[in-house]
Amino acid sequence: MRGGAATAVTEAGRRDVGDLIYDMHRSDWSALIGGFGGLARAADAFLPRFWMAAGPRYDNSGFYKEIRGIADGLRVSRAAAWRGVFGSLGGGTTTLVATRTATADGSAIMAKNSDWPDRNGRRPPMVTHYQPSNGDLHHVVAGWPLTPLGAGGLNQAGLALGLNFFNADQVLALGRPRWPYRRVLQRATTVEEGVRIIVESPNRGISGFVSLADAKGDIAIVECTPGDCEVFRPDGDWFAQSNHARTPKMIAHDRGRSLDSFTRRPAMEAAVTARLGRITPEAASVILRDRSNSKYVNESVVANAAVFHSVVMHPASRTLWHSTARQPVAPFGKLAPFSPDANGAGAPELPADPLFGSPGMQHEAGVIAEVRRAMRLFDEGDVAAASAIWERFAETGEPLLQPHRLTWARARARWTLGRLEEAEGLLAGLDADAVPFDVRINAVIARAVVADRLGDRPRAVDLYRRGQELFGENRQYNDGLVAPLHKRIAAGLRAPLTRGPFPPTPALQRVPS
């Protein structure tokens, strides 16, 4: 049954549910494609129509047929539905895969937190049952509504798959894209079969880090661009994965090597290491709640505020558990069991964190909600209202918020309101080793632009050069939060950046939008 889940959503409340989610996805897609320039926009005008016409003729995963079902349910064109599907691209994921000596019973376990904005509750997580009638394997998938490519899934043979986004130099395939990640859940019974399906595919429709585990205890990860793959098998009996490549072949393609990813993977590794040999599904759910590397709710922890899916999969029992709580505390709720078997596996729920629902966690959710509100107000142009929220947090000394990120937000509001000298005063304190690199480098270059606009060209030049120095010391980072600054530095060294509006800057708050 392909396309049925999406159709059911839209028929249940066409205007209230399906169209709302579709509109959000389309908005995200427009923003994404708009950042790639005129050539990408021209391709977007043609390629979705071509793929939706040609795809069903060669693709054997049912991907395009499911999008057709989404289009029919929404009463939009098939090309428009395609754009809506791919509006859910991106996001972070933190995954653990363990087996044999790393787990309590020697069988494989996969657990993952997938990060993506739920738009203040308007975009719900979904668990979808696929029960095909063409001989393919039944499987269950944790994913996004109106999106036929999930974050993780488990089939009736006990093959688990987890997909982490890979921001490669090419993310989407051109030509005739295939979707082997779907085909793995439909056909593979072992990790070896899954690897073969992925590697032997003529291409892969999207780049990704694909974790695999099976009922026999085998595990692996396949790092893929649309045109190439590299298989990684750990030396030991477990591995953790976030959103940057580890194999030399794929590192060369990686354009998402961020401080966030480089922080989350070691955090997951530390949480797993503390429980080696004792990992059960319940222990894996506890690992997904780990925040031991930071005391701040808006930092790069395993259980960060942007977690959309918290999933534990146990291939041997054919059970996938999914959190019943929602962002921003999704990892802390109880996890409900699902099985690809029509009769279910009979597995019990995994319990919620003891602090779930406590006054402290309610306060935490309230703080995150206020940060999200400030970000939304800023983006909507009500900068003064956003600034008032940031200042209130600064005055009360809210201990849950990372102080340097808060200072960045306060400075950003000030220069947007034209209060450049005040912005300079705040930014001056953000060039220090204790400041996260994404904040530090953005602050140095923002300060250089402020200096240019205040007429202090010598100081501006010194700050642009300081930015070059910081990049030289942190060559591992090349993600979208910092990479655009290379061009700004070059432009700022050529001539003062005094014309037009202040250059765009990221929020850097580490909470979902």
Side-chain angles (χ1 to χ4, degrees):
M1 182 177 67
R2 298 188 176 106
T7 303
V9 168
T10 56
E11 291 296 334
R14 184 180 303 280
R15 299 305 307 174
D16 295 335
V17 179
D19 283 3
L20 174 63
I21 294 169
Y22 167 74
D23 288 344
M24 285 190 290
H25 286 187
R26 280 300 306 271
S27 175
D28 289 342
W29 174 254
S30 296
L32 179 67
I33 204 71
F36 291 122
L39 183 61
R41 289 192 293 271
D44 182 52
F46 165 73
L47 285 176
R49 289 200 299 270
F50 167 74
W51 286 327
M52 288 308 300
R57 302 175 188 175
Y58 68 82
D59 173 62
N60 59 2
S61 76
F63 181 81
Y64 298 100
K65 292 179 181 178
E66 188 164 341
I67 297 178
R68 183 185 297 173
I70 292 170
D72 292 346
L74 291 168
R75 297 177 183 172
V76 301
S77 73
R78 291 164 183 176
W82 187 97
R83 296 184 182 97
V85 162
F86 283 94
S88 61
L89 283 177
T93 306
T94 319
T95 301
L96 76 91
V97 184
T99 191
R100 301 185 184 97
T101 62
T103 61
D105 66 359
S107 64
I109 292 174
M110 184 184 299
K112 63 201 307 289
N113 281 338
S114 298
D115 312 336
W116 186 247
D118 74 353
R119 297 292 185 86
N120 294 290
R122 292 179 295 161
R123 177 160 41 204
M126 286 184 65
V127 174
T128 305
H129 288 268
Y130 287 82
Q131 296 172 352
S133 58
N134 64 351
D136 286 349
L137 296 167
H138 291 198
H139 51 287
V140 62
V141 174
W144 298 264
L146 307 185
T147 304
L149 193 65
L154 177 72
N155 70 21
Q156 68 186 92
L159 190 283
L161 178 148
L163 179 61
N164 292 30
F165 182 66
F166 178 19
N167 188 15
D169 48 8
Q170 181 184 355
V171 173
L172 289 174
L174 300 176
R176 301 200 303 170
R178 266 74 169 185
W179 303 96
Y181 312 148
R182 284 171 56 95
R183 201 64 181 146
V184 167
L185 289 174
Q186 294 164 358
R187 301 297 299 176
T189 63
T190 65
V191 167
E192 284 296 337
E193 291 177 8
V195 168
R196 184 169 63 252
I197 288 171
I198 294 170
V199 172
E200 293 181 357
S201 178
N203 65 40
R204 287 135 295 275
I206 188 172
S207 57
F209 302 117
V210 186
S211 300
L212 298 169
D214 65 29
K216 297 179 180 179
D218 196 11
I219 63 174
I221 184 168
V222 191
E223 301 188 337
C224 296
T225 63
D228 203 359
C229 283
E230 187 77 359
V231 180
F232 171 80
R233 290 183 178 273
D235 293 332
D237 288 334
W238 68 278
F239 64 85
Q241 180 64 27
S242 54
N243 297 94
H244 61 280
R246 68 176 80 220
T247 63
K249 182 191 289 187
M250 291 298 119
I251 288 173
H253 295 284
D254 198 340
R255 300 297 178 270
R257 302 180 75 76
S258 66
L259 173 65
D260 177 47
S261 184
F262 272 82
T263 304
R264 283 185 288 106
R265 195 169 90 188
M268 177 65 92
E269 290 169 342
V272 173
T273 299
R275 296 169 177 84
L276 283 178
R278 297 178 288 114
I279 298 175
T280 62
E282 184 173 345
S285 72
V286 174
I287 290 171
L288 293 181
R289 299 165 185 157
D290 186 78
R291 288 179 173 172
S292 57
N293 62 306
S294 178
K295 62 183 179 181
Y296 304 116
V297 298
N298 62 331
E299 266 299 3
S300 299
V301 294
V302 173
N304 63 79
V307 173
F308 187 82
H309 294 291
S310 280
V311 175
V312 175
M313 291 180 278
H314 187 235
S317 68
R318 276 65 167 174
T319 308
L320 179 152
W321 289 268
H322 192 289
S323 178
T324 58
R326 298 284 295 276
Q327 196 175 88
V329 293
F332 296 93
K334 67 181 180 181
L335 283 78
F338 299 86
S339 173
D341 187 335
N343 297 320
E349 293 179 335
L350 300 180
D353 187 272
L355 295 179
F356 182 71
S358 67
M361 191 158 286
Q362 291 174 6
H363 172 70
E364 173 185 308
V367 169
I368 294 168
E370 274 295 273
V371 173
R372 296 175 84 170
R373 188 166 75 91
M375 292 166 58
R376 185 170 66 254
L377 288 167
F378 186 97
D379 291 342
E380 292 171 351
D382 195 348
V383 180
S387 181
I389 295 173
W390 299 127
E391 293 307 312
R392 187 163 62 250
F393 279 134
E395 290 167 6
T396 60
E398 174 53 62
L400 293 177
L401 294 181
Q402 211 284 343
H404 304 116
R405 297 190 185 280
L406 177 58
T407 299
W408 166 256
R410 296 170 63 210
R412 191 170 175 243
R414 278 169 165 75
W415 77 62
T416 306
L417 293 169
R419 293 151 57 182
L420 298 183
E421 292 87 352
E422 294 178 25
E424 152 65 24
L426 289 168
L427 292 169
L430 293 179
D431 184 7
D433 289 344
V435 179
F437 177 73
D438 55 345
V439 175
R440 187 179 190 181
I441 188 64
N442 273 281
V444 167
I445 304 310
R447 193 178 175 206
V449 176
V450 167
D452 262 340
R453 297 193 173 212
L454 291 174
D456 192 342
R457 182 60 180 164
R459 184 174 59 173
V461 170
D462 285 345
L463 288 166
Y464 291 125
R465 289 174 176 161
R466 173 61 177 153
Q468 289 180 321
E469 179 183 348
L470 286 173
F471 270 124
E473 296 169 356
N474 296 272
R475 297 180 186 275
Q476 68 271 38
Y477 304 128
N478 66 356
D479 63 297
L481 295 179
V482 302
L485 296 177
H486 289 288
K487 290 184 177 179
R488 193 165 301 165
I489 290 170
L493 289 173
R494 286 194 302 269
L497 299 183
T498 56
R499 295 184 179 180
F502 205 93
T505 53
L508 302 179
Q509 292 308 302
R510 290 277 188 265
V511 300
S513 59

